[in-house]
Amino acid sequence: MKVKAAQTFEGPEDLPDVRLSSFDISSNDSVLCAGTEAKKEDTYLLFWDVRKTDILGCYSESHRDDITQVKFHPTNPDTLATGSTDGLVCTFDLSETSEEDALQCTFNSESSVHWIGWCGEGRHNVYCLTHVETLHVWDTLESENLVAVTDVRDTLKGNRKVDYLVDCFETSDDNQLYLLAGDHSGNLHLFTVGTSSISPVGSLQQGHTATVRCMTWDLQANSLVTGGEDAMLCLWSPDQPGQRRSKSRKESAKIRARLKPSAAPSSQPY
């Protein structure tokens, strides 16, 4: 059965062959932004009005290679962060009338950008994971480098061996950033992120059997969802999800070794 698209967003007529590589929707669901692959030396950020699917405009001066990440601020619809294989992470104020004025910060990760997100108090910081498994956190208000962890695979061996970084997340309003990393056998490890190093919190095992590619933290359910190359989605939840925890306990203690695979049955999708 042929399914008709509810909405279709098309690029400008003067960019007929442009290929999209990433996208996101603003927190008020009014603007769609997509990053493109590089075409010769040109790379674009395209903007559409979600209500009318009309193209609003584009930026073309801030990146010089494939745009791998587009992330709107979780509460401010005019604030946008982007990452690219050119190594740059940029932040924009979309209320400005030109790209030059909209560009607020440019940070250099010194590697191809794999993943970015907002974090910290007021979500004013941006974290970045690169394709060479390094982690950076920058303060977008002061344009300062807060965290640089560049030796994860070299320093973590044995039972906490790490082959790759999955993503970062925060569990509550205490602004503690957590890093999820793993090995190619499907074992996952949780770390708290410090200024120049990471500290182990716990391990998540017996869920995946291959590389884990994505995750999301469900704040309301206090649970972690991961997806891997083994075609499995795993839900990791506390031993006693209904038990109220003392607010005086540190967030790292809340999830230290308490996460385990969900008891719900799972099966291969084929």
Side-chain angles (χ1 to χ4, degrees):
M1 182 179 67
K2 187 176 181 179
V3 179
K4 184 179 179 180
Q7 288 181 294
T8 300
F9 299 88
E10 298 180 350
E13 294 181 357
D14 55 344
L15 297 174
D17 300 324
V18 69
R19 299 181 64 178
L20 305 183
S21 53
S22 55
F23 70 93
D24 196 16
I25 298 178
S26 62
S27 60
N28 61 359
D29 296 327
S30 64
V31 175
L32 170 67
C33 177
T36 73
E37 295 181 357
K39 186 178 181 181
K40 296 182 178 180
E41 294 184 356
D42 296 323
T43 307
Y44 304 93
L45 285 167
L46 305 176
F47 299 90
W48 291 269
D49 184 332
V50 173
R51 296 162 295 182
K52 301 179 181 179
T53 70
D54 294 337
I55 188 77
L56 297 174
C58 74
Y59 292 166
S60 60
E61 303 294 331
S62 300
H63 291 291
R64 284 293 175 265
D65 212 333
D66 298 353
I67 297 175
T68 55
Q69 287 285 286
V70 174
K71 289 293 177 68
F72 277 97
H73 190 275
T75 59
N76 187 342
D78 288 329
T79 300
L80 176 73
T82 60
S84 168
T85 53
D86 62 10
L88 300 182
V89 173
C90 300
T91 61
F92 300 90
D93 179 359
L94 302 184
S95 65
E96 298 290 346
T97 57
S98 68
E99 179 177 358
E100 181 180 2
D101 293 334
L103 182 61
Q104 302 296 298
C105 300
T106 300
F107 304 105
N108 191 350
S109 69
E110 300 182 358
S111 182
S112 173
V113 174
H114 174 54
W115 202 262
I116 63 173
W118 295 92
C119 62
E121 184 176 359
R123 301 299 185 264
H124 296 310
N125 302 337
V126 170
Y127 71 81
C128 167
L129 305 181
T130 71
H131 286 110
V132 295
E133 316 308 338
T134 60
L135 166 65
H136 303 268
V137 181
W138 298 287
D139 183 334
T140 65
L141 296 182
E142 302 296 333
S143 298
E144 292 181 348
N145 180 31
L146 301 178
V147 174
V149 181
T150 60
D151 57 352
V152 174
R153 288 184 295 185
D154 294 332
T155 57
L156 296 174
K157 304 292 184 180
N159 293 334
R160 297 194 187 278
K161 175 187 175 183
V162 165
D163 294 319
Y164 56 88
L165 309 182
V166 182
D167 199 1
C168 293
F169 65 98
E170 293 178 339
T171 60
S172 69
D173 294 332
D174 68 354
N175 302 319
Q176 173 61 62
L177 187 66
Y178 290 90
L179 170 67
L180 183 67
D183 63 31
H184 295 307
S185 296
N187 298 311
L188 295 170
H189 307 288
L190 279 169
F191 303 89
T192 54
V193 177
T195 303
S196 59
S197 63
I198 57 176
S199 301
V201 173
S203 297
L204 309 178
Q205 298 176 331
Q206 300 179 355
H208 290 283
T209 58
T211 301
V212 173
R213 289 300 184 188
C214 59
M215 57 131 287
T216 186
W217 175 260
D218 187 333
L219 184 61
Q220 292 184 339
N222 198 33
S223 300
L224 182 71
V225 181
T226 56
E229 291 184 357
D230 53 4
M232 299 295 291
L233 290 174
C234 291
L235 172 66
W236 307 86
S237 56
D239 291 340
Q240 296 176 323
Q243 180 179 355
R244 182 179 297 275
R245 296 181 176 87
S246 170
K247 292 183 180 180
S248 64
R249 298 179 63 186
K250 293 182 179 179
E251 195 64 22
S252 60
K254 291 182 180 180
I255 63 175
R256 189 190 313 275
R258 294 178 60 82
L259 293 173
K260 67 176 184 179
S262 170
S266 60
S267 61
Q268 292 287 350
Y270 48 82

